[in-house]
Amino acid sequence: MTVPVFLFYLFATLAVVSALAMVLNTRNTVAAAMSLVVTMVALAVIYLLLEAYLVSAIQIMVYAGAIVVLFLFVVMLLNLRSDDFAPGRARLSRLAGALLGVFTVGEVVRHWGALPAPPPLPEGFGGYRAVGIALYTDYVLLVEMASLLLTAAIVGALILAKRKID
Amino acid sequence: MIPLDHVIGLSAILFAIGVVGVVTRRNMIVILMSIELMLNAVNLAFVGFNRLWPVGPDGAASYDGQIFVLIVITVAAAEVAVGLGIVISMFRNRDSVNIEDVSLLKW
């Protein structure tokens, strides 16, 4: 087992464990958000190992840097001491979760080794220059649509969080 | 070489954990976090498939998967901004972030 493969399994285990810690933590919402950060960083390392360098940097900056901080802001703003809510249809949803887990693991085991080995990469694959050129030539319309979406989201969030609209 | 079926398997496992979070949790903020986890799982699958087919039909390097990931990250940021705005206005009106308290539209 080479070093990148070992690192992949290490960070894959870390991602799964911290994702489980986020979902199963019913006491502390801040701790759940911190587990989410660990998952995001582990996924960024896996992107590096898959040679998607720009995506890895954006993952750290946007997810770990912006989105989770937004979550933490809201959790601390609302001052949620605990979120141990009374379970509603807990038994049914736990049954559904267990069934989904068994199905997913079954599918993963069934398709073990089904994909071919990854081919060798062209020079400079996944770097800032190559992805940036693709983004601003072939996909420039997509970038403009993303900027429109972000503008709409900013206006929407402002209107929602405003106390009263004059 | 990282085995790509294991990458896709990790993506499926993370997506399943996110679905379980959305279905079982009652806290609106944790439900939003689980949705983020599901989006991340999809991103991982996109990056894995881009690694598997790095060359387009014209023989040049193809970045379709990675550019899709960037767009999904944008959508996730927009979704979190609006979602947390909804959480704040819900807390202001109901004094709670429990989704059982906002079941007005539930059948």
Side-chain angles (χ1 to χ4, degrees):
Chain A
M1 189 185 284
T2 56
V3 174
V5 177
F6 172 73
L7 281 178
F8 168 71
Y9 287 120
L10 184 68
F11 282 97
T13 315
L14 186 64
V16 170
V17 167
S18 57
L20 279 176
M22 183 196 86
V23 167
L24 300 180
N25 184 343
T26 53
R27 277 203 298 272
N28 191 342
T29 314
V30 176
M34 296 327 277
S35 308
L36 190 63
V37 176
V38 176
T39 311
M40 305 289 183
V41 173
L43 282 179
V45 175
I46 291 173
Y47 293 161
L48 270 188
L49 295 172
L50 290 170
E51 285 162 272
Y53 302 110
L54 180 67
V55 173
S56 171
I58 300 258
Q59 165 92 2
I60 295 268
M61 281 193 275
V62 176
Y63 267 118
I67 290 182
V68 178
V69 172
L70 210 57
F71 274 116
L72 282 177
F73 260 135
V74 170
V75 171
M76 291 178 174
L77 185 73
L78 302 185
N79 198 11
L80 304 170
R81 290 253 176 266
S82 76
D83 64 346
D84 207 359
F85 298 140
R89 319 169 298 260
R91 190 176 297 159
L92 194 63
S93 52
R94 274 194 199 129
L95 184 68
L99 275 179
L100 180 73
V102 169
F103 176 75
T104 309
V105 172
E107 283 296 296
V108 169
V109 170
R110 202 160 68 87
H111 292 283
W112 203 256
L115 290 180
L121 289 176
E123 187 71 27
F125 184 84
Y128 298 82
R129 184 180 161 77
V131 180
I133 287 175
L135 201 58
Y136 284 103
T137 52
D138 294 345
Y139 298 96
V140 69
L141 193 63
L142 212 54
V143 174
E144 296 300 329
M145 283 163 68
S147 70
L148 259 180
L149 175 72
L150 280 178
T151 315
I154 291 170
V155 175
L158 271 179
I159 300 251
L160 276 172
K162 215 162 144 64
R163 193 172 287 275
K164 204 175 274 175
I165 298 167
D166 307 321
Chain B
M1 285 294 171
I2 294 158
L4 282 173
D5 47 339
H6 296 185
V7 175
I8 305 302
L10 172 65
S11 158
I13 289 170
L14 287 179
F15 192 87
I17 293 173
V19 172
V20 169
V22 170
V23 171
T24 58
R25 297 301 300 271
R26 303 265 84 91
N27 185 338
M28 177 99 174
I29 297 177
V30 178
I31 288 176
L32 276 177
M33 287 187 209
S34 302
I35 291 173
E36 291 305 308
L37 188 65
M38 287 155 72
L39 287 172
N40 262 290
V42 173
N43 283 350
L44 181 63
F46 270 129
V47 172
F49 280 124
N50 199 178
R51 180 68 188 81
L52 187 57
W53 289 290
V55 176
D58 55 348
S62 158
Y63 296 105
D64 295 5
Q66 296 189 18
I67 283 164
F68 238 97
V69 169
L70 296 181
I71 301 301
V72 170
I73 287 177
T74 314
V75 172
E79 177 235 314
V80 163
V82 175
L84 288 178
I86 292 174
V87 169
I88 287 180
S89 66
M90 169 178 155
F91 189 79
R92 195 178 285 145
N93 287 322
R94 300 281 161 126
D95 210 23
S96 159
V97 290
N98 189 342
I99 54 163
E100 299 286 337
D101 294 339
V102 278
S103 53
L104 218 58
L105 281 179
K106 198 159 110 186
W107 179 59

